[in-house]
Amino acid sequence: METVFTPWASLAGGVLIGLASILLMLSLGRIMGATGVLAGLFQPRDGADFQWRAALLAGMVTGPVVVWLATGAMPAVEVPISTAALVLGGILVGIGVTYGSGCTSGHGVCGMARLSPRSIAATVTFMIFTGVTVFVARHVIGG
Amino acid sequence: MKLISTYLIGLVFGVGISISGMANPDKVLNFFDVAGTWDPSLIFVMGGALVTTFVGYRIVLGRKEPLFEGRFSLPTARTIDARLIGGSALFGVGWGIAGFCPGGALPALGTGRWEVFAFTAALVVGILIAKFIQSIGASRAQTAS
């Protein structure tokens, strides 16, 4: 389904994502990577390690609620694929980000901002594979 | 104090993801669908986040230490290996199928939509599968040596 081009909202959202990344580095000295934050919850080093991850995650989850309170509308979540595809995609993402040591936030934003060669290589790789997968799913298999 | 500030940082991230469109698989998949219903919005997300973080990191990482910890915890790995590239490729395939990345899905849990919970549950299963395989590999390597 077509979606509306939203350059300003997307730019503002991007700046906030960047701001959060900066503040987490300033306060805890940590990379704002969703993969790392989530994975660490399952094997935290100690209680304090678990606590900051849980607090960050709780803040993230409150985000849409605050947007809802401010605008009267929940952020749109439109899933144009089957539940089976959603679950398959989720499992592949989970395995991939664990072996790849990061995702869009960790490699694509924080690592790229540090000009880390590993993050640049990872980001280029997943952007290419995502694009190819979408093309195949929509225009080869689906087309 | 530390936990409250961490919570608020998560909130800034969650609001950013929410208004950016990254929490919406339809919009994410359209960004990659250049040959179809292309929506270039997400280039503004990546651009805005990257430029902001690039500038902010220059200032923050110039400090001796973060505010609440004794040192910066920065990744130390340097080598670009098959594990990094293969994992990232697999992540790309999954992202291209589902339209959610972890950073998009975690805040989207707050919308209460069951699809987000289904994806996140699968994501966690994937992480645990990979960690299990890695732990078998690690224990085999130990036995061998």
Side-chain angles (χ1 to χ4, degrees):
Chain A
M1 206 172 72
E2 282 194 38
T3 47
V4 182
F5 177 49
T6 54
W8 294 112
S10 289
L11 183 65
V15 170
L16 287 181
I17 293 166
L19 187 63
S21 307
I22 297 165
L23 291 174
L24 191 67
M25 188 60 79
L26 175 66
S27 60
L28 301 183
R30 293 265 176 186
I31 296 280
M32 174 65 98
T35 298
V37 171
L38 179 66
L41 268 181
F42 297 102
Q43 37 187 211
R45 260 183 228 115
D46 49 38
D49 189 53
F50 180 83
Q51 281 175 2
W52 77 262
R53 293 170 192 277
L56 193 72
L57 188 61
M60 287 184 188
V61 173
T62 325
V65 179
V66 168
V67 170
W68 174 56
L69 291 174
T71 67
M74 268 291 180
V77 178
E78 290 139 354
V79 183
I81 53 161
S82 70
T83 305
L86 190 66
V87 169
L88 172 67
I91 293 173
L92 292 179
V93 169
I95 298 173
V97 296
T98 305
Y99 277 96
S101 311
C103 56
T104 328
S105 47
H107 280 313
V109 176
C110 297
M112 294 263 285
R114 291 174 60 227
L115 303 178
S116 151
R118 268 173 63 87
S119 290
I120 294 169
T123 306
V124 169
T125 304
F126 66 66
M127 292 303 276
I128 290 172
F129 274 83
T130 309
V132 169
T133 303
V134 170
F135 183 81
V136 170
R138 291 195 166 181
H139 301 287
V140 179
I141 301 172
Chain B
M1 181 61 208
K2 192 162 99 176
L3 285 179
I4 293 171
S5 92
T6 306
Y7 171 82
L8 291 174
I9 292 168
L11 180 59
V12 172
F13 185 85
V15 170
I17 289 287
S18 297
I19 63 175
S20 73
M22 291 294 290
N24 188 355
D26 213 6
K27 205 166 173 65
V28 172
L29 294 175
N30 279 346
F31 172 69
F32 288 99
D33 193 6
V34 181
T37 50
W38 191 44
D39 175 353
S41 303
L42 295 200
I43 199 75
F44 290 82
V45 185
M46 290 292 278
L50 198 50
V51 170
T52 306
T53 310
F54 182 83
V55 174
Y57 270 14
R58 291 289 151 313
I59 300 164
V60 169
L61 292 173
R63 296 171 55 93
K64 274 176 67 184
E65 57 188 32
L67 294 176
F68 300 135
E69 299 289 339
R71 60 184 183 85
F72 289 104
S73 309
L74 297 174
T76 50
R78 280 278 168 272
T79 47
I80 296 172
D81 49 16
R83 175 176 283 221
L84 177 79
I85 300 301
S88 297
L90 203 58
F91 163 45
V93 173
W95 195 19
I97 292 173
F100 277 121
C101 60
L106 294 182
L109 287 170
T111 64
R113 293 282 297 268
W114 69 267
E115 295 98 329
V116 190
F117 286 87
F119 173 85
T120 307
L123 168 70
V124 170
V125 168
I127 291 174
L128 295 178
I129 289 174
K131 290 210 179 282
F132 180 67
I133 297 171
Q134 285 177 346
S135 70
I136 292 175
S139 61
R140 277 213 185 128
Q142 268 182 347
T143 320
S145 64

